[in-house]
Coordinates of all heavy atoms in Angstrom, one line a residue:
D95 N 2.2 -12.4 -14.4 CA 2.2 -11.9 -15.8 C 2.0 -13.0 -16.7 O 2.8 -13.9 -16.9 CB 3.6 -11.2 -16.0 CG 3.6 -10.5 -17.4 OD1 2.6 -10.6 -18.1 OD2 4.6 -9.9 -17.7
R96 N 0.8 -13.0 -17.3 CA 0.4 -14.1 -18.3 C 0.4 -13.6 -19.7 O -0.5 -13.9 -20.5 CB -0.9 -14.7 -17.9 CG -1.0 -15.3 -16.5 CD 0.0 -16.5 -16.4 NE -0.2 -17.2 -15.1 CZ 0.6 -17.9 -14.5 NH1 1.8 -18.1 -15.0 NH2 0.3 -18.5 -13.4
V97 N 1.3 -12.7 -20.1 CA 1.4 -12.2 -21.4 C 1.8 -13.4 -22.3 O 2.8 -14.0 -22.1 CB 2.5 -11.1 -21.5 CG1 2.6 -10.6 -22.9 CG2 2.1 -9.9 -20.6
P98 N 1.0 -13.6 -23.4 CA 1.3 -14.7 -24.3 C 2.7 -14.5 -24.9 O 3.1 -13.4 -25.2 CB 0.2 -14.7 -25.3 CG -0.9 -13.9 -24.7 CD -0.2 -13.0 -23.7
D99 N 3.4 -15.7 -25.2 CA 4.7 -15.6 -25.8 C 4.6 -14.9 -27.1 O 3.6 -15.0 -27.9 CB 5.2 -17.0 -26.1 CG 5.6 -17.7 -24.8 OD1 5.8 -17.0 -23.8 OD2 5.6 -19.0 -24.8
G100 N 5.6 -14.1 -27.4 CA 5.6 -13.3 -28.7 C 5.0 -11.9 -28.6 O 5.1 -11.2 -29.5
E101 N 4.2 -11.6 -27.5 CA 3.6 -10.4 -27.4 C 4.4 -9.3 -26.7 O 4.0 -8.2 -26.6 CB 2.2 -10.5 -26.7 CG 1.2 -11.2 -27.6 CD -0.2 -11.1 -27.0 OE1 -0.5 -10.2 -26.2 OE2 -1.1 -11.9 -27.5
L102 N 5.5 -9.7 -26.1 CA 6.4 -8.8 -25.4 C 7.5 -8.4 -26.4 O 7.9 -9.2 -27.2 CB 7.0 -9.4 -24.2 CG 6.1 -9.5 -22.9 CD1 6.9 -10.2 -21.8 CD2 5.7 -8.2 -22.4
P103 N 8.1 -7.2 -26.3 CA 9.2 -6.9 -27.1 C 10.4 -7.9 -26.8 O 10.5 -8.4 -25.7 CB 9.6 -5.5 -26.6 CG 8.4 -4.9 -26.0 CD 7.6 -6.1 -25.4
P104 N 11.3 -8.1 -27.7 CA 12.3 -9.1 -27.5 C 13.2 -8.8 -26.4 O 13.8 -9.7 -25.8 CB 13.1 -9.1 -28.8 CG 12.4 -8.2 -29.8 CD 11.3 -7.5 -29.0
D105 N 13.4 -7.6 -26.0 CA 14.3 -7.2 -24.9 C 13.6 -7.2 -23.5 O 14.2 -6.9 -22.5 CB 15.0 -5.9 -25.1 CG 14.0 -4.7 -25.3 OD1 12.8 -5.0 -25.7 OD2 14.3 -3.6 -25.0
V106 N 12.3 -7.6 -23.4 CA 11.6 -7.6 -22.2 C 11.3 -9.0 -21.7 O 10.7 -9.8 -22.5 CB 10.3 -6.8 -22.3 CG1 9.5 -6.9 -21.0 CG2 10.6 -5.3 -22.6
E107 N 11.7 -9.4 -20.5 CA 11.4 -10.7 -20.0 C 10.1 -10.6 -19.2 O 9.8 -9.7 -18.4 CB 12.5 -11.1 -19.0 CG 13.8 -11.5 -19.7 CD 13.6 -12.9 -20.4 OE1 12.9 -13.8 -19.9 OE2 14.2 -13.0 -21.5
P108 N 9.2 -11.6 -19.3 CA 8.0 -11.6 -18.5 C 8.3 -11.8 -17.0 O 9.3 -12.5 -16.7 CB 7.1 -12.7 -19.0 CG 8.1 -13.6 -19.8 CD 9.2 -12.7 -20.2
D109 N 7.5 -11.3 -16.1 CA 7.7 -11.4 -14.7 C 7.1 -12.7 -14.3 O 5.9 -12.8 -14.0 CB 7.1 -10.2 -14.0 CG 7.3 -10.3 -12.5 OD1 8.0 -11.2 -12.0 OD2 6.7 -9.5 -11.8
R110 N 7.9 -13.7 -14.2 CA 7.4 -15.1 -13.8 C 7.3 -15.3 -12.3 O 6.6 -16.3 -11.9 CB 8.4 -16.1 -14.4 CG 8.6 -16.0 -15.9 CD 7.8 -17.1 -16.6 NE 8.1 -17.0 -18.0 CZ 7.2 -16.9 -19.0 NH1 6.0 -16.7 -18.6 NH2 7.6 -16.8 -20.2
D111 N 7.8 -14.4 -11.5 CA 7.7 -14.6 -10.1 C 6.4 -13.9 -9.5 O 6.0 -14.2 -8.4 CB 8.9 -13.9 -9.4 CG 10.2 -14.8 -9.5 OD1 10.0 -16.0 -9.9 OD2 11.2 -14.2 -9.3
G112 N 5.7 -13.1 -10.2 CA 4.5 -12.5 -9.8 C 4.8 -11.3 -8.8 O 5.9 -11.1 -8.3
W213 N -3.8 -8.9 -16.6 CA -2.7 -8.3 -15.9 C -2.9 -6.8 -15.8 O -3.3 -6.1 -16.7 CB -1.4 -8.5 -16.7 CG -0.2 -7.9 -16.1 CD1 0.5 -6.9 -16.6 CD2 0.5 -8.4 -15.0 NE1 1.6 -6.6 -15.8 CE2 1.6 -7.5 -14.8 CE3 0.3 -9.4 -14.0 CZ2 2.5 -7.6 -13.7 CZ3 1.2 -9.5 -13.0 CH2 2.3 -8.6 -12.9

Side-chain angles (χ1 to χ4, degrees):
D95 182 357
R96 301 297 190 202
V97 177
D99 292 337
E101 289 191 19
L102 284 176
D105 58 334
V106 176
E107 286 288 322
D109 180 7
R110 303 255 186 239
D111 287 343
W213 180 253

